[in-house]
Structures are given as structure tokens and as C-alpha cells.
Amino acid sequence: MKVLDSVAMKLLPIANAIGQQRHLQAIRNGLISILPLTIVGSFFTIILNLPIPGYTEWVAPYLPALDIPFRFTVGLMSLYASFTIGSNLGASYKLDRITSGFLSMLATILMVVPINLAEGISTTGDAVLAGRYLPIASLGSQGLFGAIIAALVSVEIYHFTKAKNLEIKMPEGVPPVVGESFAALLPTLLVILVFWIPRHFFGFDLNGLLTIAISPLKGFLTGNNLVGGIITQFVICVFWVLGIHGHAVLGPIIRPFWDQAILENAELFQNGMSAFDLPNLFTEQFYQWYAQMGGTGSTLALVVLFMFSRSNYLKQLGRLSILPGIFNINEPMIFGTPIVMNPLLAIPFILVPIANTILVYIVTALDWMPKMMVKPPFSIPAPLGALITSNWNWVACLMVFVCFFVSLAIYYPFFKAFEKLQVAQELETAKEGE
């Protein structure tokens, strides 16, 4: 216990510094803000791939129209993310949120090179006029990291002009909205120059450079690298054991990779790629339905064990935690047991997600089940979540139950040891009461 306390005291300042860093907070909050768009957009992928006999042929004439909600939500996620990230960062500097968001969107769009089209025919059969068009692919998942950089740089330019009083100030009595608009003229010009000149005069492709730079890390964290999947689970669980919110610490760092990975899978699947051939295995959804069933540490199995415990306290805690656990919320278990700073239960809390990660990795590597390609809410119960995100694959659904029983087997001996201590403590307390 003293060792865990010592480690926690050393890591806590680092974790707090990461969790409270304004730029990382803006990235995390900005990506969370676009969840409604990505979740709802993902459901249109589900609608287009319902496992009903004859459904594919029936829906075929409507595919171009049904594809639009997906393209204008998930397909434009970089554009939306740039606004929300910029808005959140601007708010942390007490800048105007709307101006911060618009400047970030402007910078993101300026990094896209328009395509010159001659007259032709669209997918809906309508005539397409000659002109310049923005390729939507540049504003999807592949442009996410460029959008993040654009948002951060744009707001820093805005903040710099504010701090140095480099702005056009209107006389007193002018409405605040008008005054703020004029104050944003100089930062708008600077943002245009900073992002327009390098991209359109010197051919500097920030998105392309970032794609090359982060591809090794992306492949390690979200691709098919088992070591990366194990390390991700290990670090998140260790932070939780030490009483530090693992996802809050790692979220700002790893969430952009998770979001890009699942949305890249979604776009490729929507474009006709088989779910078995998708590039990213270790998405956030993979961990939610298999490695973290019931919440971090895959504690749903422990909840079930608690429900039949000889300890009155554990039995009551299990009954109170079962409903939240089914919907992947396990704070009652983590802090009620507690698992935090508990050397006995910390071991299976860390081992179970790693074991399930390895197991499902092997099954996927053998091509017995596909990878995941849509992003439903994390609160969906695991069997249904796995079924939806794997294009209705029954093996993927079955693996949820296999992982659950593996979790039970690993947790059981540690649970019995902990239960023995808890029962002894309850008997001691009862004797003292008498």
C-alpha cells in the first residue's frame, strides 16, 4: 500500500499537469463536443448495412441520398473539430468563442487545395457546373491532425494580437458584437497569411507532413500492433489504480488517434472495403466492448461476483453497481470497493483487460471476426455494441461473452481472497457492536 501511495504521489503532479494543460484540454473538449455528429453519422452506416435478406437490393436506389448525412457529419469531422477546439481554447484565454472557432475553421479550409472541374454529371444525375470545389476527403478523418494544429495556431495568433493590443478599437457605445468583429480584423488577416501563403504559393502540405510524421505512432496505438494495444490498456488501468482518472490523463493525447482510426475505418467501409480488411483494430470501440466491458478493468465480471458474495457490503455494492455496469459505468465499483489503492484487486483489474485484448486480437488476426467501423455511444451494452460496430457479425458478439467468462475466471481467486478479508472485517465490526 505504501508503494502505491508513493507512486501515486509522484505521478499525480504529472497527471494534473497533463490534464490541466489548456491546449490538451481544448483538444479533448473539442473532440468530445463533436460526438453527436460522429455518433449520429455512424448510424447511417448501420442503416445502409442492415442484415436483412433483400435489404441491400431494396436500398440500392437510395444510396446516394442516404450517404449524404454520413458525408456531412463524419466526412467533415475535421472542419467541425477545428471550430470546437478553437472555441474551447479561445474560452480558456477569455477570447470570443465564436471568433476563435471561425478563425480555426478558416485556417483549416485554407489548407485545402480546391479542385478545378469541368462540366459533368453528379452521382444524383444533376449537371455539375465548371468551377472550383473543395474535396470533402481533405476535411474528413485524414485531415484531423492538421485541423488540430490549425485551431491551436489560429487562436494563439488571436491571443497574441489581443495581448499586444493590436486591434481596431471602436468608440464607446458601439454594440459589443460590432466591436468584437472589428477587433478580429487583424487576426483574421494574419491567419489567412500564415496558412494561405505556405500552402498555395510554396506547396507546403501540413496534412501530408503530419500524416507521414504520425503514421508510426498511429499504427502503434490504433493499428494492428498488439504491443501498442497492451501498453494502452496497462497505462490506463495503472492510473486508475493509483486514483488518477486514466482516460482524463491519456484522453487528450490518444483520443485524436482513436477518433481518426474509427472514422477512417468508417469511411473506408462506406466506400466498399470489407470490414475484415479495415486498417485499424485497436479503436476505442474495441476496448469498450471487449477489454473494458462494464468500464475500465472490465469490472462487470467483478460486479456479478459481488452480487453473490458472502459479504453483505460486497453483495449490496454489486446489486447497486450492476445496472450502471451493464451500461459501462463503473465509478461505483472503482471507488466503492475500492479498487483504487487496493493491491489485491489491482492485479486482476490490470490483467483482465490485457488478457481480453490478446484474446480478441488473436481471433481477429485469424480473420474469424471483422474490425469495427462505426461509433455508437459508449453506454450501449457490450454484446449489442460489438454487434453493431462489427457489421452485425455474430462471432464478434459471441466474443463479448467469451471475454466475460475469461474475466470471471481471472477475477475469481482475487475476489475470494478479498471477500475473505471483507467477511472477517464485518464479523469483527459486528462483535465490537455487540
Side-chain angles (χ1 to χ4, degrees):
M1 195 68 164
K2 291 182 178 179
V3 175
L4 291 178
D5 286 335
S6 176
V7 173
M9 291 303 294
K10 291 179 180 178
L11 287 178
L12 190 58
I14 300 173
N16 286 336
I18 294 174
Q20 296 175 8
Q21 207 283 328
R22 72 170 73 239
H23 297 88
L24 293 179
Q25 274 191 333
I27 295 171
R28 181 190 63 199
N29 295 337
L31 291 177
I32 291 174
S33 296
I34 65 171
L35 275 178
L37 292 171
T38 54
I39 289 175
V40 173
S42 294
F43 274 113
F44 280 89
T45 299
I46 299 171
I47 291 173
L48 292 175
N49 296 276
L50 294 176
I52 301 173
Y55 179 79
T56 302
E57 293 75 15
W58 178 80
V59 81
Y62 310 103
L63 283 178
L66 291 173
D67 186 53
I68 289 175
F70 175 85
R71 298 298 172 187
F72 287 178
T73 52
V74 174
L76 292 174
M77 68 161 296
S78 294
L79 188 61
Y80 300 129
S82 66
F83 181 89
T84 55
I85 292 170
S87 177
N88 279 282
L89 182 58
S92 74
Y93 283 126
K94 301 189 184 313
L95 301 173
D96 183 72
R97 295 186 70 122
I98 295 178
T99 302
S100 301
F102 281 156
L103 289 176
S104 301
M105 288 180 65
L106 172 63
T108 301
I109 294 173
L110 284 169
M111 292 191 298
V112 179
V113 177
I115 297 174
N116 292 319
L117 290 181
E119 294 187 12
I121 302 298
S122 71
T123 55
T124 58
D126 301 321
V128 177
L129 297 177
R132 308 184 78 192
Y133 294 85
L134 289 178
I136 194 172
S138 302
L139 300 173
S141 62
Q142 69 184 48
L144 179 59
F145 283 90
I148 292 173
I149 298 298
L152 300 182
V153 172
S154 300
V155 176
E156 287 299 333
I157 292 173
Y158 184 23
H159 176 240
F160 175 81
T161 60
K162 276 284 189 180
K164 300 299 181 181
N165 290 318
L166 301 175
E167 58 183 6
I168 299 174
K169 294 185 177 180
M170 301 299 290
E172 293 184 5
V174 172
V177 174
V178 178
E180 193 61 45
S181 297
F182 276 87
L185 290 177
L186 180 58
T188 300
L189 175 61
L190 292 176
V191 167
I192 290 175
L193 294 177
V194 167
F195 287 92
W196 168 57
I197 292 176
R199 183 69 182 102
H200 296 271
F201 284 89
F202 299 102
F204 176 71
D205 184 5
L206 178 61
N207 281 323
L209 180 63
L210 288 172
T211 299
I212 295 172
I214 68 172
S215 58
L217 183 58
K218 176 179 175 293
F220 181 73
L221 292 175
T222 62
N224 300 307
N225 192 310
L226 179 59
V227 176
I230 292 173
I231 291 176
T232 299
Q233 285 304 293
F234 176 79
V235 174
I236 289 175
C237 292
V238 166
F239 271 119
W240 272 109
V241 166
L242 297 175
I244 301 169
H245 196 302
H247 290 87
V249 175
L250 292 182
I253 299 170
I254 198 171
R255 183 162 297 283
F257 291 97
W258 277 344
D259 284 349
Q260 186 184 43
I262 189 63
L263 297 175
E264 181 183 4
N265 279 3
E267 290 173 353
L268 291 172
F269 180 75
Q270 192 77 350
N271 291 331
M273 180 178 288
S274 168
F276 288 88
D277 299 328
L278 297 173
N280 304 305
L281 171 60
F282 293 114
T283 61
E284 186 178 16
Q285 290 66 39
F286 174 95
Y287 298 127
Q288 285 171 351
W289 312 139
Y290 301 117
Q292 298 177 356
M293 192 189 318
T296 306
S298 199
T299 54
L300 187 59
L302 189 60
V303 170
V304 173
L305 292 173
F306 275 18
M307 290 176 65
F308 301 96
S309 173
R310 293 185 296 112
S311 162
N312 292 328
Y313 175 73
L314 297 183
K315 182 183 295 184
Q316 187 67 20
L317 180 61
R319 291 175 177 176
L320 291 173
S321 301
I322 184 63
L323 189 60
I326 290 173
F327 295 97
N328 303 308
I329 298 169
N330 69 340
E331 278 77 2
M333 285 292 293
I334 289 178
F335 297 107
T337 305
I339 294 173
V340 172
M341 298 295 180
N342 186 330
L344 189 56
L345 291 181
I347 297 172
F349 185 82
I350 296 171
L351 287 180
V352 166
I354 292 175
N356 288 338
T357 296
I358 295 172
L359 176 62
V360 181
Y361 169 84
I362 293 172
V363 173
T364 308
L366 293 172
D367 278 339
W368 291 352
M369 59 178 279
K371 301 181 181 71
M372 297 178 168
M373 79 295 293
V374 295
K375 186 178 182 179
F378 80 94
S379 56
I380 292 180
L384 180 59
L387 194 63
I388 291 173
T389 53
S390 63
N391 194 29
W392 311 100
N393 184 272
W394 67 270
V395 176
C397 182
L398 177 63
M399 284 305 301
V400 171
F401 295 95
V402 173
C403 288
F404 176 77
F405 287 110
V406 169
S407 303
L408 276 177
I410 296 175
Y411 266 117
Y412 185 76
F414 297 94
F415 156 73
K416 293 302 292 183
F418 182 69
E419 179 190 52
K420 184 177 180 180
L421 295 174
Q422 189 67 30
V423 169
Q425 183 179 345
E426 290 175 3
L427 290 174
E428 185 68 27
T429 302
K431 288 180 181 179
E432 292 176 359
E434 292 175 359

